[in-house]
Amino acid sequence: MGLILCVGFSLHTQAQSYTDFNPGQVWKDDKGVHINAHGGGIVNVKGIYYWFGEHKVAGELGNTAQVGVHCYSSKDLYNWKDEGIALSVIDDPNSDIAKGCILERPKVVYNKKTGKFVMWFHLELLGKGYAAARTGVATADKATGPYTFIKSYRPNPNKQPFYAEGTPDAEKVNCEQPKDKVDGFFCRDLPGGQMARDMTVFVDDDGKAYHVFSSEENFTLHLAELSPDYLSHTGKFIRIYVGQQTEAPALFKKDNVYYMVGSGCTGWAPNPARWFKAKSIWGPWTFMGNPCEGEGAGKTFGGQSTHVLPAPGKKGQFIFMADKWAPKDAIDGRYLWLPIQFEADKIKIKWMDKWNLSVFK
């Protein structure tokens, strides 16, 4: 009887039950539709995982926000339930999140103090191309939303970077005499706030949250402290890998060492991933090269980092999440999830056609 019911269910909905990750393949939700959560991140709430990402539509139009941020839930990371649109764009051309704006890389974190779910994202205003370079924030009382948009802006106006003790003056930005074009971008934007594009949010063990984003015309990463309610910036931030064009940051922590995976800056085309590590969130952050190994490693196996997820029930083990973009038909973007391997405090990411959580010992 169970078999008959199961067959009937699959015929009607085309849903399937997964027991493995299949990187780069179509990944269907509980309704039999390819998961639509691009550039996304995941938050774990009491054993349920919520995946948020950009909802794409077909064709090149899908590179703009026609719908909003999609949410899915899962108990096992393989099988995902469609929870609908968590944050909707607004059908008003004067809204910051107007339909047709560019809304990318949504990341949701839970604030234990306020009991709120907080979503940050990269926002470009309607009709302005990539000139706005803003960050946006929205909140909700439950993980699936609906999220209420609060504001968008450029972070940390009139604030200078924080420098670790002993940083040579030559490495500090001097807006009276910028030493190069990159410092020039920083100083240009000082009054109105720094550019904020590709981004992530990281919550540390002590509950403090940090916003990491591409800034200075995408030449430099900024890591900036968020306020206790996670809704604004405190003004404390550092510049990482100045002038080297890093985007797609994804942060995690293991054994009191901070790790970050990112990418170079080549538009929609894949490039070698890059990783960094630091003993303090405030640096110094050390560039460590490309974590990927094997065939396709030079182009991150066709993908670009978006999030690093702690493996369930496997302390100190992590899953690398990347997106394989399809700019000509955005809705066909695929997901590359791969296990991160550690050798002491060095990381490796190798391609696997199929794998499951049993790889984590």
Side-chain angles (χ1 to χ4, degrees):
M1 188 67 183
L3 180 62
I4 294 169
L5 282 172
C6 179
V7 170
F9 177 73
S10 66
L11 284 173
H12 281 103
T13 67
Q14 297 179 312
Q16 63 192 92
S17 183
Y18 293 98
T19 55
D20 299 283
F21 301 111
N22 302 278
Q25 302 301 310
V26 168
W27 193 350
K28 294 182 179 180
D29 64 14
D30 62 321
K31 296 175 180 173
V33 178
H34 180 49
I35 293 168
N36 200 341
H38 308 266
I42 289 178
V43 64
N44 180 359
V45 185
K46 296 178 181 173
I48 297 178
Y49 292 88
Y50 295 92
W51 181 0
F52 300 86
E54 306 157 28
H55 179 100
K56 302 293 192 184
V57 298
E60 294 188 43
L61 184 68
N63 300 318
T64 62
Q66 298 296 315
V67 179
V69 176
H70 210 130
C71 177
Y72 295 83
S73 67
S74 175
K75 292 179 180 175
D76 63 7
L77 297 181
Y78 307 118
N79 300 285
W80 292 88
K81 177 187 175 187
D82 184 355
E83 297 284 1
I85 302 302
L87 174 70
S88 298
V89 294
I90 295 173
D91 214 355
D92 171 2
N94 296 315
S95 168
D96 283 9
I97 57 167
K99 182 179 180 181
C101 70
I102 295 171
L103 195 163
E104 297 179 334
R105 297 188 176 266
K107 301 291 184 288
V108 172
V109 289
Y110 178 67
N111 189 306
K112 290 180 180 176
K113 290 180 181 172
T114 65
K116 296 275 190 184
F117 291 89
V118 181
M119 178 190 294
W120 285 89
F121 47 87
H122 163 215
L123 180 69
E124 300 290 349
L125 301 175
L126 178 64
K128 300 283 177 69
Y130 277 84
R134 290 192 186 196
T135 189
V137 61
T139 64
D141 292 322
K142 61 178 186 175
T144 53
Y147 284 75
T148 301
F149 174 69
I150 298 176
K151 59 188 172 183
S152 79
Y153 63 102
R154 285 189 174 187
N156 299 318
N158 296 310
K159 298 291 185 183
Q160 290 285 347
F162 169 80
Y163 294 102
E165 196 175 336
T167 302
D169 285 344
E171 291 181 17
K172 297 179 181 179
V173 66
N174 176 3
C175 285
E176 290 180 8
Q177 286 186 308
K179 66 177 179 287
D180 53 31
K181 71 174 182 179
V182 178
D183 280 10
F185 295 144
F186 176 90
C187 298
R188 176 199 68 190
D189 294 335
L190 194 62
Q194 298 298 329
M195 303 175 89
R197 291 199 178 118
D198 266 21
M199 56 139 285
T200 194
V201 178
F202 171 74
V203 179
D204 210 341
D205 302 331
D206 59 4
K208 280 192 176 180
Y210 302 87
H211 180 209
V212 187
F213 51 94
S214 295
S215 194
E216 303 171 26
E217 300 288 358
N218 288 7
F219 275 94
T220 303
L221 280 179
H222 285 200
L223 183 150
E225 184 180 63
L226 292 177
S227 56
D229 62 7
Y230 301 175
L231 299 181
S232 60
H233 294 77
T234 66
K236 184 177 181 180
F237 68 98
I238 56 172
R239 301 163 83 206
I240 298 174
Y241 210 34
V242 175
Q244 299 296 325
Q245 292 188 296
T246 303
E247 59 180 22
L251 236 78
F252 63 106
K253 184 180 183 181
K254 174 182 164 72
D255 299 334
N256 292 317
V257 176
Y258 296 88
Y259 297 84
M260 178 163 53
V261 183
S263 79
C265 211
T266 51
W268 298 106
N271 58 60
R274 53 183 63 173
W275 74 282
F276 307 83
K277 67 175 180 175
K279 291 182 178 175
S280 162
I281 192 88
W282 296 114
W285 285 85
T286 304
F287 171 67
M288 300 295 294
N290 183 356
C292 298
E293 291 191 353
E295 188 178 346
K299 291 188 175 178
T300 317
F301 314 115
Q304 186 186 39
S305 48
T306 184
H307 187 67
V308 172
L309 177 68
K314 307 287 184 182
K315 186 171 171 58
Q317 302 291 337
F318 297 86
I319 299 168
F320 172 71
M321 292 170 50
D323 285 89
K324 192 172 183 179
W325 300 106
K328 296 293 185 190
D329 188 21
I331 200 167
D332 189 40
R334 308 288 178 90
Y335 310 101
L336 310 180
W337 290 22
L338 295 165
I340 294 178
Q341 300 173 25
F342 289 87
E343 290 183 2
D345 61 351
K346 291 188 169 55
I347 67 171
K348 289 183 178 180
I349 301 169
K350 297 180 179 178
W351 179 259
M352 301 177 87
D353 287 326
K354 177 182 282 197
W355 67 281
N356 59 46
L357 295 170
S358 69
V359 304
F360 298 115
K361 302 302 180 202

